[in-house]
């Protein structure tokens, strides 16, 4: 492969993979983001108020609140648009990321175990997360926002393929 | 249940090696553990004796007796057993803990004789496995011959031949384990000495019965070379940091005290010059000394399918690595090292720990001459005869490297430039300062770009980065677990990407940075889909199944 063909292949198509996350996951992300946003909005404002500068506190709170609301309102939706995955007979592939786009590929034959988790929020929203673990700690293969039935189906699919590979 | 006193063979060197009798650690264990624990208590108790009189000593003696009793109980309740496939460790006085380590999971065995161990004639043995958690087993302390026996049965030398070897027949397969076609390449590498007999200082070589594995000396480093390694490597920074701490402490001292210190120093320009002249050699000398102390008598040998590293002046270590479990080989070159034509080579295993006591999982060859690098790489990455010619990064990467570094440099000096322009009313000086900084940033960018390169050579992915401090990384394709293609906003604009190749364990992830995204996407598929990777995984799983079955029946 000569180096001068690089320019021709430099730009990757960004079309989504076969499956998308459940739309409800946006609600989950929004709530989590809102909870996190309380810290940078609230803590300095509280500190400023206690320090006897209520005006500064108010200014800080207003500015950061506007920014936080804007972020919480828009970012989760954009994340969702950028999130897609596919589970083939060979591998699990994920594409996600807004600023830094990641395309992660985990071949089935490397899978050590598959974990389906549901935290409180996910329970309420009827969602589940699936994590594929390999022998590497760096592997990025967590798919959030799945219907529990779909998560289980994916788990069975992956484990089925891992088992076949073993027999080879 | 298995720790009945009748079964325990306390003494080392029992003939019944493979029978799986439970054994205890060396009887010196409780006393040594006590000594280690007591070290920290000596000063406080000394202070108490001075404050309250010798009556404190009675309390100390009682405490000592209690702790010694606990240590003896712990020693008595700690047993291990190796039945040929699984090492079973049982421990705990009140709460019992049983750990089973299948021998096929072991990828590193370290026999370490610290100074205090050498006084008593014992060693510590540590196993590192590729499992997710609790993968490390430490047997501290053992008799020398017992440690040697365990090392020989636990380091699965025959495993390099793969599927052919049954678990029981390991030593017999050792000859064949010296793997694929690297024999000729290494002949020239051992040039320092034509494989002298093992120096026998670390351990007493005890043949474990069966064939003695073939041994070849790959690297031997003398004290002179170690000194060079110390003076050109990371130790310089460590020593500098230590000196920096001293400087900071002086800075923190109350002013009067510092002044008194300064007053005590000889005066005049002559003294300053002498100090300046002495500081450099002192710094280099300390770095050299620290390298010699930690790596004295460094040797790297190929023993069947394994690699064995011996090193250390006071704290002797002998590490055995299973060659086919090496995940990543890294070659480090600082500017001075490049000038001298030397490099350091680091081996990354599938260890469990990210930080902590790193030296168990990473073995570093502190100094290799450039001419011997290729043969050594051929040994460490079988199938790769030399570091191949690398494909340079595309021109877009050069522009990006230059722009990024110039921008960072400009950001750093933005404050001072503004200060010079406003404070001194000298826009010309500010402009010159800015221009010089930008030029320096651009030069750094150009260097960084020239450092970039990658190649897929046979069954290995080779990638290089770094302007001044250059790092070349070799990843066997068979070891990639998963791969991630990353593109930042800025990279996307020019069609570049970075490929992260995930290997087993928690070590640093090798990266192929700044290559055309399309090319990397192809590379990602090629690496993950490689039949070698499939074969590697299948082999590991088969071996695990076998030892699990053997463990269940045993």
């Amino acid at each position: 492969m000569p180096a001068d063909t690089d320019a021709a292949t430099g730009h990757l198509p960004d079309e989504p993979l076969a499956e998308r996350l459940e739309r409800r996951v946006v609600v989950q992300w929004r709530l989590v983001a809102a909870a996190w946003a309380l810290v940078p909005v609230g803590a300095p404002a509280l500190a400023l108020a206690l320090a006897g500068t209520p005006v500064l506190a108010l200014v800080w709170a207003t500015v950061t609140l506007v920014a936080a609301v804007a972020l919480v309102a828009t970012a989760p939706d954009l994340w969702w648009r950028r999130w897609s995955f596919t589970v083939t007979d060979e591998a699990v592939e994920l594409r996600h990321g807004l600023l830094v786009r990641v395309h992660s590929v985990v071949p089935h034959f490397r899978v050590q175990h598959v974990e389906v988790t549901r935290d409180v929020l996910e329970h309420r929203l009827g969602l589940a997360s699936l994590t594929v673990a390999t022998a590497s700690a760096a592997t990025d293969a967590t798919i959030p926002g799945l219907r529990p039935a779909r998560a289980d189906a994916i788990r069975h699919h992956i484990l089925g393929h891992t088992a076949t590979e073993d027999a080879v | 249940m298995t720790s009945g006193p009748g079964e325990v063979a306390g003494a080392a060197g029992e003939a019944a090696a493979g029978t799986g009798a439970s054994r205890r650690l060396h009887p010196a264990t409780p006393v040594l553990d006590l000594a280690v624990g007591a070290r920290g208590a000596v000063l406080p108790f000394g202070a108490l004796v001075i404050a309250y009189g010798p009556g404190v000593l009675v309390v100390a003696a009682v405490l000592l007796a209690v702790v010694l009793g606990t240590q003896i109980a712990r020693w008595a309740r700690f047993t291990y057993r190796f039945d040929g496939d699984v090492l079973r460790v049982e421990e705990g006085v009140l709460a019992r803990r049983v750990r089973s380590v299948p021998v096929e999971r072991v990828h590193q065995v370290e026999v370490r004789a610290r100074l205090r161990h050498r006084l008593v004639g014992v060693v510590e043995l540590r196993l590192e496995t590729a499992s997710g958690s609790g993968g490390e087993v430490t047997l501290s302390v053992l008799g020398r011959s017992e440690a040697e026996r365990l090392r020989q049965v636990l380091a699965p030398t025959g495993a390099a031949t793969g599927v052919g070897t049954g678990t029981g027949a390991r030593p017999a397969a050792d000859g064949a384990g010296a793997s694929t076609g690297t024999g000729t390449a290494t002949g020239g590498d051992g040039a320092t000495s034509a494989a002298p007999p093992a120096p026998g200082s670390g351990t007493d070589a005890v043949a474990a019965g069966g064939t003695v594995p073939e041994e070849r000396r790959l690297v031997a480093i003398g004290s002179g070379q170690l000194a060079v390694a110390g003076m050109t490597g990371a130790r310089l920074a460590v020593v500098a940091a230590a000196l920096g701490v001293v400087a900071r402490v002086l800075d923190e001292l109350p002013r009067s005290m510092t002044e008194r210190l300064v007053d005590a120093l000889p005066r005049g320009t002559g003294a300053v010059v002498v100090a300046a002249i002495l500081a450099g050699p002192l710094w280099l000398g300390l770095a050299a000394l620290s390298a010699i102390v930690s790596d004295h008598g460094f040797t790297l040998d190929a023993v069947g399918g394994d690699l064995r590293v011996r090193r250390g002046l006071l704290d002797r270590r002998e590490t055995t690595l299973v060659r086919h479990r090496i995940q990543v080989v890294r070659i480090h070159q600082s500017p001075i090292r490049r000038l001298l034509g030397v490099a350091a080579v680091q081996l990354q295993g599938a260890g469990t720990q990210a930080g902590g006591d790193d030296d168990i999982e990473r073995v570093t060859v502190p100094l290799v001459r450039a001419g011997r690098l290729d043969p050594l790489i051929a040994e460490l990455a079988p199938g790769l005869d030399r570091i191949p010619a690398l494909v340079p990064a595309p021109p877009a990467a050069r522009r990006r490297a230059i722009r990024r570094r110039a921008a960072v440099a400009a950001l750093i000096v933005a404050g001072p430039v503004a200060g010079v322009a406003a404070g001194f009313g000298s826009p010309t000086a500010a402009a010159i300062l800015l221009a010089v900084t930008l030029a320096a940033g651009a030069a750094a960018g150009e260097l960084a770009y020239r450092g970039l390169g990658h190649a897929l050579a046979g069954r290995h992915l080779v990638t290089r980065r770094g302007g001044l401090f250059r790092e070349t990384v070799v990843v066997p394709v068979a070891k990639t677990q998963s791969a991630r293609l990353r593109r930042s906003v800025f990279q996307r604009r020019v069609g570049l990407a970075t490929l992260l190749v995930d290997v087993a364990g928690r070590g640093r992830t090798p990266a192929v940075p700044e290559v055309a995204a399309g090319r990397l996407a192809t590379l990602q598929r090629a690496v993950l889909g490689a039949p070698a990777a499939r074969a590697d995984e299948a082999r590991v799983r088969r071996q695990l199944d076998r030892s699990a079955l053997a463990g269940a029946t045993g």
Side-chain angles (χ1 to χ4, degrees), chain B residues 17-364:
Chain B
T19 54
S22 285
R23 285 158 183 264
R24 286 210 184 97
L25 298 175
H26 193 275
T29 304
V31 179
L32 276 171
D33 285 349
L34 184 71
V36 173
R39 246 182 351 195
V42 166
L43 271 181
F45 266 105
L48 286 176
V49 169
I50 291 166
Y52 296 104
V56 175
L57 286 177
V58 180
V59 180
V62 171
L63 269 178
L64 209 63
V66 170
V67 176
L68 183 63
T70 320
Q71 299 288 15
I72 290 173
R74 197 177 288 168
W75 169 77
R77 300 286 278 156
F78 188 111
T79 61
Y80 64 92
R81 182 161 65 102
F82 182 69
D83 63 3
D85 290 299
V86 177
L87 177 75
R88 239 172 102 91
V89 179
E90 298 189 35
E91 63 183 305
V93 177
L94 298 175
R96 295 290 280 170
R97 181 179 176 202
V98 181
R99 277 179 292 172
S100 297
V101 180
V103 64
E104 297 294 354
R105 281 243 144 170
V106 173
H107 67 102
Q108 191 164 316
V109 180
E110 186 174 87
V111 177
R112 183 173 183 179
R114 296 174 200 261
L115 194 55
R116 60 171 181 274
H117 296 155
R118 291 172 73 186
L119 296 177
V120 193
V122 292
V123 295
E124 184 179 285
L125 183 133
R126 284 170 79 177
L127 299 183
E128 180 94 351
T129 73
S131 91
S133 60
E136 207 178 84
V137 173
T138 305
L139 300 178
S140 172
V141 294
L142 298 169
R144 282 206 169 150
S145 49
E146 169 65 359
E148 178 60 16
R149 182 190 73 86
L150 274 179
R151 190 191 61 71
Q152 287 190 356
V153 292
L154 288 172
T157 39
T161 54
V163 283
T165 30
T167 42
R170 198 168 304 109
D174 284 341
S179 52
T180 51
T182 50
T184 47
T186 55
D189 185 51
T192 27
S193 48
S201 54
T203 50
D204 324 340
V206 178
T211 336
V212 178
E214 178 206 354
E215 274 192 42
R216 272 171 305 126
R217 175 68 37 100
L218 303 180
V219 179
I221 307 178
S223 296
Q225 285 176 303
L226 282 177
V228 172
M231 289 187 287
T232 59
R235 278 174 209 282
L236 267 188
V238 175
V239 172
L243 291 180
V245 169
V246 172
R248 215 174 315 142
V249 167
L250 284 179
D251 231 32
E252 296 284 318
L253 289 175
R255 211 187 164 76
S256 59
M257 215 164 152
T258 324
E259 273 165 11
R260 223 176 294 158
L261 265 176
V262 172
D263 282 345
L265 293 174
R267 288 275 150 166
T269 340
V272 173
V273 171
V274 168
I277 291 173
L278 282 180
L282 180 71
W283 180 18
L284 289 173
L286 283 175
L289 190 69
S290 101
I292 291 173
V293 168
S294 74
D295 286 337
H296 173 77
F298 186 100
T299 58
L300 171 66
D301 296 303
V303 186
D306 292 345
L307 296 170
R308 188 183 58 208
V309 174
R310 289 184 173 143
R311 66 198 168 105
L313 185 64
L314 306 174
D315 185 355
R316 296 274 320 160
R317 292 157 180 243
E318 175 176 322
T319 313
T320 309
L321 293 105
V322 180
R323 198 186 320 211
H324 73 98
R325 288 279 163 83
I326 294 173
Q327 305 289 319
V328 182
V329 178
R330 293 172 193 273
I331 303 159
H332 293 281
Q333 285 176 304
S334 64
I336 309 170
R337 285 186 176 175
R338 287 221 306 271
L339 218 65
L340 295 174
V342 296
V345 176
Q346 191 185 57
L347 310 179
Q348 181 178 323
T352 51
Q353 287 169 315
D357 200 358
D358 262 349
D359 36 9
I360 175 107
E361 67 178 86
R362 280 193 212 123
V363 171
T364 300

Side-chain angles (χ1 to χ4, degrees), chain A residues 9 14 101 103 110-111 165, chain B residues 478 485 487 518 534 537 541:
Chain A
T9 55
D14 263 326
R101 275 177 212 169
H103 183 171
R110 287 299 197 187
V111 173
E165 293 288 346
Chain B
L485 191 68
R487 290 174 301 148
R534 242 165 236 272
E537 184 70 26
R541 287 187 190 216

Side-chain angles (χ1 to χ4, degrees), chain A residues 15-19 21 82-88 91-97 101-107 130-132 138-144 146 154 158, chain B residues 482-487 524-525:
Chain A
E15 83 272 11
L17 298 168
E19 285 186 67
L21 307 183
R82 281 279 153 218
W83 236 111
S84 67
F85 67 96
T86 182
V87 184
T88 65
V92 180
E93 297 187 33
L94 338 171
R95 252 182 212 176
H96 59 89
R101 275 177 212 169
V102 179
H103 183 171
S104 178
V105 180
V106 185
L130 177 125
T131 301
V132 179
T139 294
D140 160 44
T142 297
I143 310 177
L146 293 168
I154 294 174
I158 295 172
Chain B
S482 60
R484 291 168 287 152
L485 191 68
R486 281 170 56 100
R487 290 174 301 148
Q524 187 179 24
R525 306 233 161 246

Side-chain angles (χ1 to χ4, degrees), chain A:
Chain A
M1 278 186 277
D4 46 356
T5 60
D6 285 349
T9 55
H11 293 271
L12 278 189
D14 263 326
E15 83 272 11
L17 298 168
E19 285 186 67
R20 294 204 164 258
L21 307 183
E22 292 294 312
R23 194 73 178 86
R24 288 194 298 283
V25 78
V26 171
V27 180
Q28 182 194 342
W29 287 340
R30 213 161 259 164
L31 289 171
V32 172
W36 277 109
L38 285 180
V39 180
V41 175
L46 195 69
L48 287 172
L50 289 176
T53 50
V55 180
L56 258 178
L58 202 67
V59 170
W60 175 269
T62 322
V63 171
T64 52
L65 199 65
V66 169
V69 166
L71 206 66
V72 168
T74 56
D77 188 56
L78 292 173
W79 283 336
W80 181 82
R81 278 189 214 185
R82 281 279 153 218
W83 236 111
S84 67
F85 67 96
T86 182
V87 184
T88 65
D89 284 346
E90 294 291 318
V92 180
E93 297 187 33
L94 338 171
R95 252 182 212 176
H96 59 89
L98 205 55
L99 296 178
V100 177
R101 275 177 212 169
V102 179
H103 183 171
S104 178
V105 180
V106 185
H108 292 325
F109 68 87
R110 287 299 197 187
V111 173
Q112 299 275 331
H113 65 266
V114 184
E115 211 173 87
V116 176
T117 55
R118 305 182 73 187
D119 63 23
V120 182
L121 198 55
E122 285 175 319
H123 242 291
R124 293 302 291 265
L125 291 166
L127 291 174
S129 294
L130 177 125
T131 301
V132 179
T134 70
S136 171
T139 294
D140 160 44
T142 297
I143 310 177
L146 293 168
R147 276 179 292 111
R150 181 64 191 135
D152 272 337
I154 294 174
R155 192 172 59 118
H156 279 292
H157 180 89
I158 295 172
L159 293 180
H161 279 276
T162 314
T164 347
E165 293 288 346
D166 259 4
V168 175

